[in-house]
Amino acid sequence: MNLEELYKDTILYHGRNTENKREVSPCDVKKRGVNHSCGDEITISLRVRDGIIDDVAFLGYGCMISMASTSIMIDLVKGKKVEEAKEYIDIFIRMIKREATDEEIKKLGDGLVFQNIQNMPARVKCATLAWHTLDEII
């Protein structure tokens, strides 16, 4: 299996994964994010306990890229300190802009599949929607 197939399989797996597609209850905050370019829409619900993201999930719809990116982000930040989540958001956004180092990108786990999304400019907003929405929440 080549790298491109691996990336495609990872995006398909996370895009179809429904484990993170629910509402956190009770939650501390909810935030809606919309990509007006293509109609992707998500609402992230979040619960923080003692500075740790105790639970986070989303409801919404959109393309495979936005759904996969949202699911990957949730898997990455759940159970982490809020400060760590902020770091992951920063790295992800800088990765998209080609400003993150390879060592930083490795911290993103499956999120690295979006490393070359800027080669598809119409999809950048799809991949970053959840990350910007979570950034607004925390």
Side-chain angles (χ1 to χ4, degrees):
M1 178 179 289
N2 68 32
L3 197 55
E4 187 175 318
E5 288 175 358
L6 179 62
Y7 285 178
K8 182 179 176 182
D9 287 348
T10 301
I11 290 171
L12 288 173
Y13 170 78
H14 282 284
R16 293 178 178 150
N17 183 4
T18 58
E19 182 179 321
N20 295 320
K21 203 167 189 180
R22 59 185 174 77
E23 187 171 332
V24 172
S25 180
C27 73
D28 296 325
V29 65
K30 281 193 248 185
K31 177 75 176 163
R32 182 174 169 253
V34 178
N35 178 354
H36 296 287
S37 301
C38 67
D40 295 344
E41 183 176 314
I42 60 167
T43 299
I44 296 176
S45 53
L46 177 77
R47 183 174 57 233
V48 177
R49 296 293 179 259
D50 299 321
I52 295 176
I53 298 174
D54 179 55
D55 200 5
V56 58
F58 81 103
L59 291 174
Y61 53 88
C63 69
M64 189 65 68
I65 300 244
S66 68
M67 297 295 100
S69 185
T70 304
S71 180
I72 287 169
M73 180 198 71
I74 287 171
D75 284 347
L76 187 62
V77 302
K78 191 184 299 182
K80 302 291 192 303
K81 293 179 182 179
V82 171
E83 293 78 23
E84 288 177 275
K86 289 178 184 179
E87 178 185 2
Y88 293 137
I89 293 166
D90 177 63
I91 292 170
F92 188 86
I93 300 302
R94 287 188 301 106
M95 176 187 72
I96 299 299
K97 296 177 180 179
R98 297 182 186 205
E99 297 172 356
T101 67
D102 289 342
E103 190 165 313
E104 288 175 315
I105 292 169
K106 287 178 187 175
K107 294 179 181 181
L108 296 175
D110 284 349
L112 68 84
V113 300
F114 296 104
Q115 186 171 8
N116 292 315
I117 199 77
Q118 66 272 28
N119 296 334
M120 299 182 291
R123 294 299 189 198
V124 169
K125 288 183 180 180
C126 302
T128 59
L129 175 62
W131 300 82
H132 286 299
T133 304
L134 183 62
D135 190 38
E136 290 176 21
I137 291 173
I138 59 174

